[in-house]
Amino acid sequence: MEQHTPRHRPSGQYAAADSRRAAIIDAALLFFAKAGYLNSSLAKIAEEAGTSATVITHHFGSKQRLLMAVLEAREDRTVRTFGRLGPDSGGDSGDDVRALFREVLALAAYNLTQPGLIQLYTKLSAEAGDPAHPAHTYFAERYERVARHLASALQRSVDRGQLRAGIDPESIAREILAVSDGLQVQWAVTDGRLDFVGLYRTHLDRLTRALTVDGKGLDEPAGEEQCP
C-alpha cells in the first residue's frame, strides 16, 4: 500500500489562524456586551472583526458556538490570572477566610479592567434566565461551581475554628455571589461611576466581622489584639 507523507501546515499559518480566531472572539465579546447575544448577528460581528460571516462560520460553526468560545476565553483568562481561587488549586487562601475574601475582592477589581466582559455578563445573565438560551446551562453550572467552591472554603474555616459554629456556608456563598453580581449590574448601568470595589470591600469586611470567632475585619490579622 502506498504511504502518504502527512502534510503539515506551516507554523506561521497556525499562528495566523489563532490570531484570526482571537480577533473574532474579541469582536464578538464587544458586540455581545453592547447588544446582547439575541440582538447580535454574525454579519455584524464579522464587520467589527474585519472579516466575513463565512470565515466566522469556518472557525466556529455557528453563533452559539462562538458565544461559548467567548465565555470559555473569559474563563481561561480568569483562571490564568487567579488560578489560586480554583477549588483544586491548593492556593494561598487555604482555610483562612480573610485571605479567601481578599482574593475574591482582587478578582472583582481585576474584572473592572475588562468592562466589556462585565457588560457581557450582565446582559447574558439576564438573557440566560430563559432555559432555551444557549448560555443557560453555562451560567447554571458556573453559579453552582463557584457557590460550591466558596461554600467548601467557608466550611473548612468553620472546621478550623475560625468561623462561628452553626453558620450556613452555602447561604453565605450565595450571598457573596448575589452582592457581587448586583454591584456589577449597578456598575454597568452607571457607566463605571459606582465604587464597585469600595462597596464590595465594605460588604466582605462586615461579613468577616460577623462570621469570624474573633470578630476582626478583613484586613486585621487574626488572633491579634487590635491596636487602640
Side-chain angles (χ1 to χ4, degrees):
M1 180 182 295
E2 181 182 359
Q3 290 185 321
H4 296 277
T5 303
R7 297 175 63 187
H8 297 288
R9 186 167 54 170
S11 60
Q13 292 183 357
Y14 280 117
D18 289 343
S19 178
R20 177 62 58 85
R21 281 178 60 89
I24 293 170
I25 287 174
D26 287 344
L29 189 158
L30 293 175
F31 228 96
F32 290 152
K34 182 167 55 179
Y37 172 81
L38 300 177
N39 294 321
S40 299
S41 70
L42 290 183
K44 292 177 180 177
I45 294 170
E47 183 178 354
E48 183 78 19
T51 186
S52 68
T54 302
V55 170
I56 294 180
T57 302
H58 169 74
H59 282 288
F60 298 95
S62 67
K63 188 173 82 164
Q64 180 173 334
R65 290 183 179 177
L66 174 59
L67 171 64
M68 298 315 297
V70 168
L71 293 175
E72 288 167 6
R74 189 264 189 186
E75 200 83 11
D76 287 345
R77 292 175 190 175
T78 300
V79 168
R80 284 198 302 270
T81 307
F82 289 89
R84 62 185 180 276
L85 287 174
D88 303 317
S89 65
D92 298 335
S93 60
D95 299 331
D96 182 356
V97 71
R98 292 179 179 85
L100 174 69
F101 284 178
R102 284 195 292 269
E103 289 175 355
V104 168
L105 186 65
L107 175 57
Y110 168 74
N111 285 340
L112 292 188
T113 67
Q114 305 174 82
L117 286 174
I118 291 183
Q119 293 166 353
L120 172 66
Y121 258 61
T122 55
K123 281 190 169 67
L124 281 183
S125 60
E127 293 180 351
D130 180 356
H133 193 281
H136 177 81
T137 299
Y138 170 85
F139 275 94
E141 291 179 349
R142 185 176 187 278
Y143 275 123
E144 288 303 314
R145 184 173 69 255
V146 175
R148 187 167 58 248
H149 167 54
L150 286 174
S152 177
L154 291 168
Q155 184 60 58
R156 290 196 301 273
S157 289
V158 173
D159 296 341
R160 185 172 178 251
Q162 186 183 29
L163 299 185
R164 301 178 189 277
I167 69 169
D168 184 349
E170 183 174 353
S171 294
I172 295 166
R174 298 285 180 181
E175 175 186 334
I176 291 170
L177 287 175
V179 171
S180 174
D181 283 11
L183 287 174
Q184 281 191 67
V185 171
Q186 295 179 64
W187 185 87
V189 299
T190 60
D191 296 324
R193 293 190 299 275
L194 185 80
D195 183 9
F196 181 117
V197 173
L199 291 170
Y200 200 26
R201 174 180 287 279
T202 297
H203 172 74
L204 291 174
D205 181 73
R206 185 164 56 243
L207 199 58
T208 304
R209 294 175 187 277
L211 296 177
T212 53
V213 171
D214 61 17
K216 293 181 181 295
L218 189 61
D219 296 318
E220 297 175 68
E224 297 181 11
E225 293 298 324
Q226 188 174 359
C227 295

